[in-house]
mmCIF file of all heavy atoms in Angstrom:
data_model
loop_
_atom_site.group_PDB
_atom_site.id
_atom_site.type_symbol
_atom_site.label_atom_id
_atom_site.label_comp_id
_atom_site.label_asym_id
_atom_site.label_seq_id
_atom_site.Cartn_x
_atom_site.Cartn_y
_atom_site.Cartn_z
ATOM 1 N N PRO A 248 51.478 111.349 76.462
ATOM 2 C CA PRO A 248 52.629 112.213 76.740
ATOM 3 C C PRO A 248 52.419 113.197 77.882
ATOM 4 O O PRO A 248 53.382 113.681 78.456
ATOM 5 C CB PRO A 248 52.852 112.966 75.426
ATOM 6 C CG PRO A 248 51.895 112.429 74.444
ATOM 7 C CD PRO A 248 50.969 111.484 75.121
ATOM 8 N N GLY A 249 51.204 113.475 78.257
ATOM 9 C CA GLY A 249 50.940 114.444 79.314
ATOM 10 C C GLY A 249 51.005 113.888 80.728
ATOM 11 O O GLY A 249 50.821 114.633 81.685
ATOM 12 N N ARG A 250 51.276 112.611 80.878
ATOM 13 C CA ARG A 250 51.311 112.006 82.222
ATOM 14 C C ARG A 250 52.591 112.398 82.943
ATOM 15 O O ARG A 250 53.626 111.758 82.814
ATOM 16 C CB ARG A 250 51.201 110.485 82.133
ATOM 17 C CG ARG A 250 49.845 109.924 81.800
ATOM 18 C CD ARG A 250 48.849 109.958 82.949
ATOM 19 N NE ARG A 250 49.254 109.272 84.146
ATOM 20 C CZ ARG A 250 48.830 108.074 84.503
ATOM 21 N NH1 ARG A 250 47.981 107.406 83.750
ATOM 22 N NH2 ARG A 250 49.247 107.538 85.633
ATOM 23 N N GLN A 251 52.512 113.457 83.706
ATOM 24 C CA GLN A 251 53.684 113.959 84.416
ATOM 25 C C GLN A 251 54.189 112.971 85.462
ATOM 26 O O GLN A 251 55.388 112.900 85.721
ATOM 27 C CB GLN A 251 53.375 115.306 85.069
ATOM 28 C CG GLN A 251 53.144 116.400 84.062
ATOM 29 C CD GLN A 251 52.857 117.726 84.739
ATOM 30 O OE1 GLN A 251 52.379 117.781 85.860
ATOM 31 N NE2 GLN A 251 53.168 118.797 84.029
ATOM 32 N N ASP A 252 53.287 112.205 86.056
ATOM 33 C CA ASP A 252 53.718 111.219 87.043
ATOM 34 C C ASP A 252 54.599 110.150 86.401
ATOM 35 O O ASP A 252 55.588 109.705 86.987
ATOM 36 C CB ASP A 252 52.519 110.587 87.750
ATOM 37 C CG ASP A 252 51.502 109.958 86.805
ATOM 38 O OD1 ASP A 252 51.458 110.319 85.602
ATOM 39 O OD2 ASP A 252 50.719 109.113 87.273
ATOM 40 N N MET A 253 54.274 109.780 85.164
ATOM 41 C CA MET A 253 55.090 108.797 84.440
ATOM 42 C C MET A 253 56.434 109.411 84.044
ATOM 43 O O MET A 253 57.467 108.747 84.122
ATOM 44 C CB MET A 253 54.366 108.317 83.182
ATOM 45 C CG MET A 253 53.116 107.550 83.450
ATOM 46 S SD MET A 253 53.455 105.906 84.062
ATOM 47 C CE MET A 253 51.913 105.137 83.717
ATOM 48 N N ALA A 254 56.411 110.663 83.635
ATOM 49 C CA ALA A 254 57.662 111.344 83.285
ATOM 50 C C ALA A 254 58.565 111.463 84.510
ATOM 51 O O ALA A 254 59.791 111.278 84.406
ATOM 52 C CB ALA A 254 57.371 112.720 82.686
ATOM 53 N N LEU A 255 57.986 111.740 85.664
ATOM 54 C CA LEU A 255 58.765 111.807 86.903
ATOM 55 C C LEU A 255 59.424 110.460 87.193
ATOM 56 O O LEU A 255 60.614 110.396 87.506
ATOM 57 C CB LEU A 255 57.876 112.231 88.068
ATOM 58 C CG LEU A 255 58.529 112.292 89.445
ATOM 59 C CD1 LEU A 255 59.640 113.340 89.479
ATOM 60 C CD2 LEU A 255 57.477 112.569 90.516
ATOM 61 N N LEU A 256 58.665 109.393 87.060
ATOM 62 C CA LEU A 256 59.227 108.051 87.256
ATOM 63 C C LEU A 256 60.351 107.768 86.259
ATOM 64 O O LEU A 256 61.370 107.171 86.625
ATOM 65 C CB LEU A 256 58.138 106.981 87.107
ATOM 66 C CG LEU A 256 57.312 106.680 88.334
ATOM 67 C CD1 LEU A 256 56.145 105.769 87.979
ATOM 68 C CD2 LEU A 256 58.155 106.066 89.427
ATOM 69 N N LEU A 257 60.170 108.203 85.021
ATOM 70 C CA LEU A 257 61.213 108.008 84.015
ATOM 71 C C LEU A 257 62.475 108.772 84.403
ATOM 72 O O LEU A 257 63.583 108.224 84.339
ATOM 73 C CB LEU A 257 60.721 108.441 82.633
ATOM 74 C CG LEU A 257 61.740 108.343 81.497
ATOM 75 C CD1 LEU A 257 62.267 106.913 81.335
ATOM 76 C CD2 LEU A 257 61.119 108.849 80.200
ATOM 77 N N GLY A 258 62.318 110.022 84.822
ATOM 78 C CA GLY A 258 63.477 110.804 85.253
ATOM 79 C C GLY A 258 64.187 110.158 86.434
ATOM 80 O O GLY A 258 65.417 110.079 86.470
#
Side-chain angles (χ1 to χ4, degrees):
R250 286 285 302 258
Q251 293 181 334
D252 55 338
M253 295 286 199
L255 178 63
L256 275 171
L257 178 58

